[in-house]
Amino acid sequence: MLGRRAPLEIPGSVLQALSDRIAGVDETDRAKRRRDAALLQVGELRRILNGPFMSFFAEVQDVLSNGLVRAEVSLFGRATPVEFTPDQLGDPVAA
């Protein structure tokens, strides 16, 4: 994709989700997870909706090719990396 100074990098997860969508791949749980994860942006702050960290906030660090999201959760004042499924994270929180 075109950028102002250099081409913008498109994450592999986004390309995979687009490819699956165009090809009409069966909507398996893993494909759905990858598609949902592709919509997340690195650096977004999101509220955790369920699981052991429910109601904490997580900052998205990476979207993995298997559809999981690696995010940092502040526990006892330290950033702790945790992997989530996209449905465990709510809408982006305004800063």
Side-chain angles (χ1 to χ4, degrees), residues 6-78:
L8 296 174
E9 185 176 321
I10 301 173
S13 58
V14 172
L15 292 175
Q16 184 64 49
L18 287 172
S19 174
D20 288 349
R21 182 86 169 190
I22 291 169
V25 173
D26 214 2
E27 189 73 349
T28 62
D29 285 340
R30 186 172 179 184
K32 183 180 181 316
R33 231 184 17 230
R34 278 198 321 250
R35 181 178 46 90
D36 293 344
L39 301 174
L40 302 173
Q41 297 292 321
V42 172
E44 284 182 330
L45 189 64
R46 292 178 173 254
R47 182 176 292 277
I48 302 168
L49 300 177
N50 57 33
F53 301 107
M54 189 168 98
S55 78
F56 280 76
F57 290 97
E59 182 179 345
V60 177
Q61 297 297 313
D62 194 15
V63 177
L64 305 175
S65 62
N66 61 0
L68 294 177
V69 178
R70 183 173 294 136
E72 287 187 344
V73 178
S74 180
L75 297 173
F76 303 111
R78 302 185 99 187

